């Protein structure tokens, strides 16, 4: 029997379309791996074993099977997006345990494309923090299970990196796709506004949150993004020569980027230069106020999400985060700070097509009960290791995390790519050049 675990989504879908595999056998193999390994990884809040097998049978007899881009592909969904028949808990005891009547539009698009939802993945409470742990479990980095997978799409990233599913759905409001992808050696893209339907929580964190894919290859990320966006992002024959700036500094003042992440950027810059791009070191003109702008938006988003929940059922770090954010919500809602940041950075992106920068400042914190620890300790831990992502939610511009290099622990490193609005295809093309030049190990060696 062919083993479909460890294959890409593109490979699985092609095999199912060509009748070399059935959705049922593909899903069954992945469910078996989840049963064997997720106790060590903590990716899933709930696994839909029976429902997934039944849905796989339905996919197998669809009349349009030969046209389905994700035919029979198992997919995991972040537990802040509705899956029909399942509750959406968002990592919190304060949310209702009520089954959803219908799928979120992104989930519906995945299913329409032939994907099978095998489960909902763990998140930190209300998707606030860059580590994933709480009342439903702790998501660990499959490459180093002593470390957090990151957050807030930590469970989705852990599921893909462990080979429990080939692709997963997550979202990103301050780095929540890129942070866990960088930790776990995955490809992800946070698209710009309007590319993929959002509809995340109450107001999408003032429009900063976007849904996107987690995958092990650029091809799979492109494929899943095309399904989510309901528009094609075809692979180019050759990526045209771009003007690329590379920067080694943290956007937030006072935070030092460690050597493994700066070394990855330097090496990636050299590869892109040899590939024909014009590459130059240049730092975006981040304002000194960016740390405060990030904090006000981060906390204000949580204050909106928490306002209808019983505070007695929230963890202390979430209650404090929301209380801080209530002071800023009205100011954030005007959008002035975000517009000022865009105006400040637009001349830089008029000169450069792509920004290459570190995805993280340092490796992720140790996995543990961060939800039981104080608010300030959580904020400092998050800010010190993941200061690189918030500016691109504040501007709304597309950004990717791409595996590159190796940390001293043996876990994957990563770089981040950023571009102006509407440049998702260009980012994917540059990422694919990095992938061809420095292929990465796609899943962690857990077996």
């Amino acid at each position: 029997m062919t083993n479909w675990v460890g294959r890409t989504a593109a490979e699985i879908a092609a095999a199912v379309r060509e009748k070399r595999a059935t959705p049922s056998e593909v899903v069954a193999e992945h469910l078996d791996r989840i049963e064997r390994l997720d106790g060590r990884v903590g990716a899933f809040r709930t696994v839909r074993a029976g429902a997934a097998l039944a849905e796989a049978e339905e996919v197998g007899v669809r009349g349009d099977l030969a046209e389905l881009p994700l035919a029979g592909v198992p997919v995991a969904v972040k537990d802040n997006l509705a899956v029909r028949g399942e509750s959406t808990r968002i990592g919190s005891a304060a949310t209702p345990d009520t089954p959803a009547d219908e799928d979120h539009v992104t989930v519906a698009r995945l299913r329409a494309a032939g994907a099978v939802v095998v489960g909902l993945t763990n998140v930190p409470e209300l998707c606030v923090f860059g580590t994933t742990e709480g009342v439903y479990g702790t998501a660990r980095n499959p490459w180093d299970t002593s470390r957090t997978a990151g957050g807030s799409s930590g469970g989705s990233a852990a599921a893909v990196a462990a080979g429990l599913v080939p692709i997963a759905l997550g979202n990103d409001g301050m780095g929540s796709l890129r942070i866990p992808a960088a930790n776990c050696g995955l490809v992800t893209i946070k698209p710009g506004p309007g590319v993929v339907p959002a509809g995340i929580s109450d107001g999408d964190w003032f429009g900063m949150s976007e849904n996107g894919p987690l995958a092990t290859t650029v091809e799979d990320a492109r494929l899943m993004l095309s399904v989510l966006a309901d528009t094609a992002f075809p692979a180019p024959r050759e990526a045209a020569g771009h003007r690329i700036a590379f920067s080694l500094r943290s956007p937030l003042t006072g935070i030092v980027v460690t050597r493994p992440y700066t070394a990855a950027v330097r090496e990636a810059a050299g590869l892109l230069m040899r590939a024909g791009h014009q590459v130059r070191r240049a730092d975006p003109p981040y304002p000194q106020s960016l740390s405060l702008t990030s904090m006000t938006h981060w906390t204000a988003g949580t204050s909106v999400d928490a306002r209808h929940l019983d505070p007695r059922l929230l963890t202390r770090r979430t209650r404090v985060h929301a209380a801080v954010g209530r002071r800023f919500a009205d100011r954030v809602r005007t959008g002035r700070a975000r517009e000022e940041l865009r105006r400040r950075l637009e001349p830089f992106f008029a000169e450069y097509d792509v920004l290459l920068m570190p995805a993280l400042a340092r490796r992720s914190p140790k996995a543990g009960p961060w939800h039981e620890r104080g608010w300030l300790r959580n904020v400092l831990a998050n800010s010190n290791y993941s200061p690189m992502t918030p500016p691109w939610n504040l501007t709304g511009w597309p950004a990717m995390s791409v595996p590159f290099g190796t940390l001293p622990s043996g876990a994957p490193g990563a770089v981040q790519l950023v571009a102006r609005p509407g440049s998702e295809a260009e980012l994917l093309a540059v990422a694919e050049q990095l992938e061809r030049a420095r292929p990465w190990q796609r899943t962690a060696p857990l077996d």
Side-chain angles (χ1 to χ4, degrees):
M1 182 180 73
T2 303
N3 186 357
W4 296 104
V5 168
R7 302 291 189 94
T8 67
E11 289 171 334
I12 290 170
V16 170
R17 288 193 299 266
E18 296 163 10
K19 303 294 181 71
R20 293 182 284 113
T22 68
S24 296
E25 66 182 297
V26 171
V27 169
E29 287 183 20
H30 285 84
L31 288 170
D32 178 69
R33 186 171 176 86
I34 292 169
E35 185 176 8
R36 287 189 295 109
L37 297 180
D38 196 41
R40 293 162 55 188
V41 176
F44 286 93
R45 174 180 72 84
T46 186
V47 178
R48 308 175 66 248
L53 288 170
E55 291 166 18
E57 290 279 355
E58 294 172 3
V59 172
V61 297
R62 280 177 58 168
D64 60 349
L65 183 66
E67 285 78 48
L68 298 178
L70 293 176
V73 175
V75 63
V77 174
K78 185 176 180 179
D79 190 24
N80 68 341
L81 297 170
V83 173
R84 185 181 63 252
E86 306 291 341
S87 58
T88 308
R89 301 308 304 269
I90 325 176
S92 181
T95 54
D97 188 17
T98 306
D101 293 329
E102 58 184 25
D103 290 328
H104 186 276
V105 60
T106 53
V107 177
R109 287 182 176 181
L110 292 173
R111 282 180 154 156
V116 178
V117 178
V118 298
L120 288 90
T121 57
N122 275 318
V123 299
E125 187 171 54
L126 303 191
C127 297
V128 175
F129 293 100
T131 60
T132 293
E133 63 290 301
V135 293
Y136 300 113
T138 297
R140 299 172 180 271
N141 187 342
W143 295 92
D144 179 357
T145 54
S146 71
R147 299 272 163 183
T148 177
S152 63
S153 305
S156 285
V160 177
L164 308 183
V165 288
I167 54 174
L169 178 59
N171 37 57
D172 190 315
M174 275 284 177
S176 291
L177 280 167
R178 289 161 290 153
I179 293 166
N183 284 327
C184 296
L186 301 178
V187 182
T188 192
I189 181 165
K190 177 196 77 69
V195 176
V196 173
I200 307 157
S201 66
D202 188 350
D204 304 325
W205 270 25
F206 305 98
M208 296 189 299
S209 292
E210 302 291 344
N211 291 309
L214 288 154
T216 63
T217 66
V218 177
E219 179 186 30
D220 274 5
R222 179 186 287 109
L223 173 62
M224 187 172 173
L225 180 64
S226 296
V227 169
L228 295 173
D230 198 25
T231 188
F233 289 89
R237 292 182 180 179
E238 283 296 331
H242 291 297
R243 293 166 299 169
I244 297 178
F246 76 94
S247 174
L248 306 177
R249 62 165 288 200
S250 165
L252 307 186
T253 56
I255 298 176
V256 176
V257 182
T258 56
R259 184 177 178 82
Y261 290 98
T262 59
V265 171
R266 290 180 188 276
E267 186 177 357
L271 287 175
L272 293 173
M273 185 180 296
R274 291 191 290 277
H277 299 283
Q278 300 175 43
V279 182
R280 175 185 169 191
R281 182 167 178 178
D283 294 326
Y286 303 118
Q288 289 285 332
S289 59
L290 184 55
S291 295
L292 179 60
T293 301
S294 298
M295 178 61 73
T296 57
H297 284 71
W298 182 22
T299 56
T302 301
S303 75
V304 173
D305 288 348
R307 61 186 172 184
H308 298 307
L309 300 177
D310 185 342
R312 296 169 298 180
L313 299 177
L314 296 171
T315 61
R316 183 173 180 273
R317 68 175 181 176
T318 305
R319 289 199 306 272
V320 174
H321 207 75
V324 170
R326 281 195 291 273
R327 307 174 186 179
F328 305 119
D330 288 341
R331 183 196 311 176
V332 165
R333 197 171 280 111
T334 68
R336 283 196 294 269
R338 296 181 65 198
E339 183 55 37
E340 289 170 6
L341 180 62
R342 280 191 287 266
R343 283 199 300 267
R344 184 180 179 95
L345 295 177
E346 278 168 354
F348 182 88
F349 283 89
E351 182 176 358
Y352 297 102
D353 301 311
V354 175
L355 170 64
L356 166 67
M357 62 185 293
L360 298 171
R362 63 191 70 240
R363 66 178 178 169
S364 62
K366 289 278 190 180
W370 285 95
H371 60 298
E372 298 174 356
R373 296 169 182 166
W375 174 76
L376 184 59
R377 187 176 176 188
N378 272 273
V379 167
L380 290 175
N382 278 238
S383 300
N384 284 331
Y385 103 93
S386 58
M388 318 303 291
T389 55
W392 318 119
N393 297 91
L394 292 166
T395 61
W397 296 342
M400 290 189 70
S401 180
V402 183
F404 199 92
T406 305
L407 305 185
S409 66
V415 296
Q416 184 176 198
L417 302 171
V418 185
R420 62 177 71 94
S423 298
E424 288 82 4
E426 287 80 0
L427 289 180
L428 289 163
V430 173
E432 202 153 43
Q433 287 187 315
L434 293 175
E435 182 179 26
R436 285 198 302 266
R438 286 287 186 277
W440 48 79
Q441 187 175 342
R442 293 179 37 253
T443 54
L446 285 170
D447 286 325

Short mmCIF file of all heavy atoms in Angstrom, two decimals, residues 255-285:
data_model
loop_
_atom_site.label_atom_id
_atom_site.label_comp_id
_atom_site.label_asym_id
_atom_site.label_seq_id
_atom_site.Cartn_x
_atom_site.Cartn_y
_atom_site.Cartn_z
N ILE A 255 15.23 45.70 20.73
CA ILE A 255 15.23 44.24 20.63
C ILE A 255 16.32 43.81 19.65
O ILE A 255 16.39 44.30 18.52
CB ILE A 255 13.86 43.71 20.17
CG1 ILE A 255 12.79 44.09 21.20
CG2 ILE A 255 13.89 42.19 19.97
CD1 ILE A 255 11.39 43.71 20.80
N VAL A 256 17.18 42.91 20.09
CA VAL A 256 18.30 42.45 19.29
C VAL A 256 17.91 41.18 18.55
O VAL A 256 17.34 40.25 19.14
CB VAL A 256 19.53 42.18 20.19
CG1 VAL A 256 20.68 41.60 19.37
CG2 VAL A 256 19.96 43.47 20.89
N VAL A 257 18.20 41.13 17.26
CA VAL A 257 17.98 39.94 16.46
C VAL A 257 19.21 39.05 16.57
O VAL A 257 20.34 39.51 16.34
CB VAL A 257 17.71 40.29 14.99
CG1 VAL A 257 17.43 39.03 14.17
CG2 VAL A 257 16.54 41.26 14.88
N THR A 258 19.02 37.80 16.94
CA THR A 258 20.15 36.91 17.18
C THR A 258 20.79 36.42 15.88
O THR A 258 20.19 36.47 14.81
CB THR A 258 19.71 35.70 18.02
OG1 THR A 258 18.63 35.03 17.36
CG2 THR A 258 19.25 36.13 19.41
N ARG A 259 22.01 35.94 16.01
CA ARG A 259 22.84 35.62 14.85
C ARG A 259 22.21 34.60 13.89
O ARG A 259 22.31 34.79 12.67
CB ARG A 259 24.21 35.12 15.33
CG ARG A 259 25.17 34.85 14.19
CD ARG A 259 26.53 34.41 14.71
NE ARG A 259 27.44 34.11 13.63
CZ ARG A 259 28.14 35.00 12.96
NH1 ARG A 259 28.05 36.28 13.28
NH2 ARG A 259 28.96 34.64 11.99
N PRO A 260 21.58 33.52 14.36
CA PRO A 260 21.04 32.57 13.37
C PRO A 260 20.04 33.21 12.41
O PRO A 260 19.99 32.83 11.23
CB PRO A 260 20.37 31.51 14.25
CG PRO A 260 21.11 31.56 15.55
CD PRO A 260 21.44 33.01 15.73
N TYR A 261 19.27 34.17 12.88
CA TYR A 261 18.26 34.79 12.01
C TYR A 261 18.87 35.86 11.10
O TYR A 261 18.44 36.00 9.94
CB TYR A 261 17.12 35.35 12.86
CG TYR A 261 16.31 34.24 13.47
CD1 TYR A 261 16.53 33.83 14.78
CD2 TYR A 261 15.37 33.55 12.72
CE1 TYR A 261 15.80 32.77 15.32
CE2 TYR A 261 14.64 32.50 13.25
CZ TYR A 261 14.87 32.11 14.56
OH TYR A 261 14.16 31.05 15.08
N THR A 262 19.88 36.60 11.59
CA THR A 262 20.55 37.55 10.69
C THR A 262 21.38 36.80 9.66
O THR A 262 21.46 37.23 8.49
CB THR A 262 21.43 38.52 11.48
OG1 THR A 262 22.42 37.80 12.23
CG2 THR A 262 20.60 39.37 12.43
N ALA A 263 22.00 35.69 10.05
CA ALA A 263 22.80 34.91 9.11
C ALA A 263 21.93 34.35 7.99
O ALA A 263 22.33 34.30 6.82
CB ALA A 263 23.53 33.79 9.83
N ALA A 264 20.71 33.92 8.34
CA ALA A 264 19.80 33.39 7.32
C ALA A 264 19.45 34.47 6.30
O ALA A 264 19.40 34.21 5.09
CB ALA A 264 18.53 32.85 7.99
N VAL A 265 19.22 35.70 6.77
CA VAL A 265 18.89 36.79 5.86
C VAL A 265 20.07 37.09 4.95
O VAL A 265 19.91 37.29 3.72
CB VAL A 265 18.46 38.04 6.64
CG1 VAL A 265 18.34 39.25 5.72
CG2 VAL A 265 17.13 37.79 7.35
N ARG A 266 21.27 37.15 5.51
CA ARG A 266 22.45 37.43 4.69
C ARG A 266 22.63 36.37 3.60
O ARG A 266 22.91 36.70 2.44
CB ARG A 266 23.70 37.48 5.57
CG ARG A 266 23.77 38.68 6.50
CD ARG A 266 25.06 38.63 7.31
NE ARG A 266 25.11 39.64 8.34
CZ ARG A 266 25.51 40.90 8.15
NH1 ARG A 266 25.85 41.28 6.93
NH2 ARG A 266 25.54 41.75 9.15
N GLU A 267 22.47 35.11 3.97
CA GLU A 267 22.65 34.05 2.99
C GLU A 267 21.56 34.10 1.93
O GLU A 267 21.82 33.92 0.73
CB GLU A 267 22.66 32.68 3.67
CG GLU A 267 22.99 31.56 2.70
CD GLU A 267 23.09 30.20 3.37
OE1 GLU A 267 22.96 30.13 4.60
OE2 GLU A 267 23.29 29.21 2.64
N ALA A 268 20.32 34.32 2.36
CA ALA A 268 19.22 34.42 1.39
C ALA A 268 19.44 35.60 0.45
O ALA A 268 19.16 35.50 -0.76
CB ALA A 268 17.89 34.56 2.13
N ALA A 269 19.95 36.71 0.96
CA ALA A 269 20.22 37.87 0.11
C ALA A 269 21.26 37.52 -0.95
O ALA A 269 21.12 37.91 -2.12
CB ALA A 269 20.71 39.04 0.97
N GLY A 270 22.29 36.78 -0.57
CA GLY A 270 23.30 36.37 -1.53
C GLY A 270 22.74 35.48 -2.62
O GLY A 270 23.07 35.64 -3.81
N LEU A 271 21.87 34.55 -2.23
CA LEU A 271 21.25 33.67 -3.22
C LEU A 271 20.39 34.45 -4.20
O LEU A 271 20.42 34.20 -5.41
CB LEU A 271 20.40 32.61 -2.51
CG LEU A 271 21.13 31.50 -1.77
CD1 LEU A 271 20.14 30.63 -1.02
CD2 LEU A 271 21.94 30.66 -2.74
N LEU A 272 19.62 35.40 -3.69
CA LEU A 272 18.74 36.17 -4.57
C LEU A 272 19.55 37.10 -5.49
O LEU A 272 19.16 37.33 -6.63
CB LEU A 272 17.75 36.98 -3.73
CG LEU A 272 16.72 36.12 -2.97
CD1 LEU A 272 15.89 36.98 -2.04
CD2 LEU A 272 15.82 35.35 -3.94
N MET A 273 20.68 37.58 -4.99
CA MET A 273 21.54 38.39 -5.85
C MET A 273 22.08 37.54 -7.01
O MET A 273 22.07 37.96 -8.17
CB MET A 273 22.69 38.98 -5.03
CG MET A 273 23.58 39.92 -5.82
SD MET A 273 24.93 40.59 -4.80
CE MET A 273 24.00 41.52 -3.59
N ARG A 274 22.52 36.32 -6.69
CA ARG A 274 23.04 35.43 -7.74
C ARG A 274 21.93 34.98 -8.69
O ARG A 274 22.21 34.60 -9.83
CB ARG A 274 23.73 34.22 -7.10
CG ARG A 274 25.02 34.58 -6.38
CD ARG A 274 25.82 33.36 -6.00
NE ARG A 274 25.21 32.58 -4.94
CZ ARG A 274 25.35 32.85 -3.64
NH1 ARG A 274 26.07 33.89 -3.24
NH2 ARG A 274 24.77 32.08 -2.73
N ALA A 275 20.69 35.06 -8.24
CA ALA A 275 19.57 34.70 -9.10
C ALA A 275 19.16 35.84 -10.03
O ALA A 275 18.23 35.68 -10.83
CB ALA A 275 18.36 34.28 -8.25
N GLY A 276 19.84 36.97 -9.93
CA GLY A 276 19.58 38.05 -10.86
C GLY A 276 18.82 39.24 -10.31
O GLY A 276 18.51 40.18 -11.05
N HIS A 277 18.51 39.22 -9.02
CA HIS A 277 17.83 40.36 -8.42
C HIS A 277 18.85 41.44 -8.03
O HIS A 277 20.02 41.15 -7.77
CB HIS A 277 17.05 39.93 -7.17
CG HIS A 277 15.99 38.91 -7.45
ND1 HIS A 277 14.78 39.24 -8.01
CD2 HIS A 277 15.95 37.57 -7.25
CE1 HIS A 277 14.04 38.16 -8.13
NE2 HIS A 277 14.72 37.12 -7.69
N GLN A 278 18.37 42.66 -7.94
CA GLN A 278 19.19 43.76 -7.42
C GLN A 278 18.96 43.80 -5.91
O GLN A 278 17.87 44.14 -5.45
CB GLN A 278 18.78 45.08 -8.05
CG GLN A 278 18.93 45.14 -9.55
CD GLN A 278 18.40 46.45 -10.12
OE1 GLN A 278 18.64 47.51 -9.56
NE2 GLN A 278 17.65 46.35 -11.21
N VAL A 279 19.97 43.44 -5.15
CA VAL A 279 19.82 43.28 -3.70
C VAL A 279 20.73 44.29 -3.00
O VAL A 279 21.92 44.40 -3.31
CB VAL A 279 20.17 41.85 -3.25
CG1 VAL A 279 19.96 41.68 -1.76
CG2 VAL A 279 19.31 40.83 -4.02
N ARG A 280 20.14 44.98 -2.04
CA ARG A 280 20.89 46.01 -1.31
C ARG A 280 20.45 46.02 0.14
O ARG A 280 19.27 45.83 0.44
CB ARG A 280 20.63 47.37 -1.96
CG ARG A 280 21.26 48.55 -1.24
CD ARG A 280 20.83 49.85 -1.90
NE ARG A 280 21.19 51.01 -1.11
CZ ARG A 280 20.75 52.24 -1.33
NH1 ARG A 280 19.93 52.46 -2.35
NH2 ARG A 280 21.12 53.24 -0.57
N ARG A 281 21.39 46.26 1.02
CA ARG A 281 21.00 46.40 2.43
C ARG A 281 20.39 47.78 2.66
O ARG A 281 20.97 48.80 2.32
CB ARG A 281 22.21 46.21 3.35
CG ARG A 281 21.81 46.30 4.82
CD ARG A 281 22.87 45.82 5.76
NE ARG A 281 22.45 45.98 7.15
CZ ARG A 281 23.16 45.62 8.20
NH1 ARG A 281 24.35 45.04 8.02
NH2 ARG A 281 22.70 45.79 9.42
N ALA A 282 19.20 47.76 3.25
CA ALA A 282 18.48 49.02 3.54
C ALA A 282 17.43 48.75 4.60
O ALA A 282 16.71 47.75 4.52
CB ALA A 282 17.84 49.58 2.28
N ASP A 283 17.32 49.64 5.58
CA ASP A 283 16.34 49.49 6.64
C ASP A 283 15.13 50.38 6.37
O ASP A 283 15.29 51.57 6.08
CB ASP A 283 16.93 49.89 7.99
CG ASP A 283 18.04 48.96 8.44
OD1 ASP A 283 17.96 47.76 8.14
OD2 ASP A 283 19.00 49.45 9.08
N PRO A 284 13.92 49.82 6.49
CA PRO A 284 12.73 50.68 6.39
C PRO A 284 12.75 51.75 7.48
O PRO A 284 13.29 51.52 8.58
CB PRO A 284 11.57 49.71 6.61
CG PRO A 284 12.13 48.36 6.28
CD PRO A 284 13.56 48.41 6.70
N PRO A 285 12.18 52.91 7.23
CA PRO A 285 12.19 54.00 8.22
C PRO A 285 11.11 53.81 9.28
O PRO A 285 10.14 54.57 9.37
CB PRO A 285 11.92 55.24 7.36
CG PRO A 285 11.07 54.73 6.24
CD PRO A 285 11.56 53.34 5.95
#
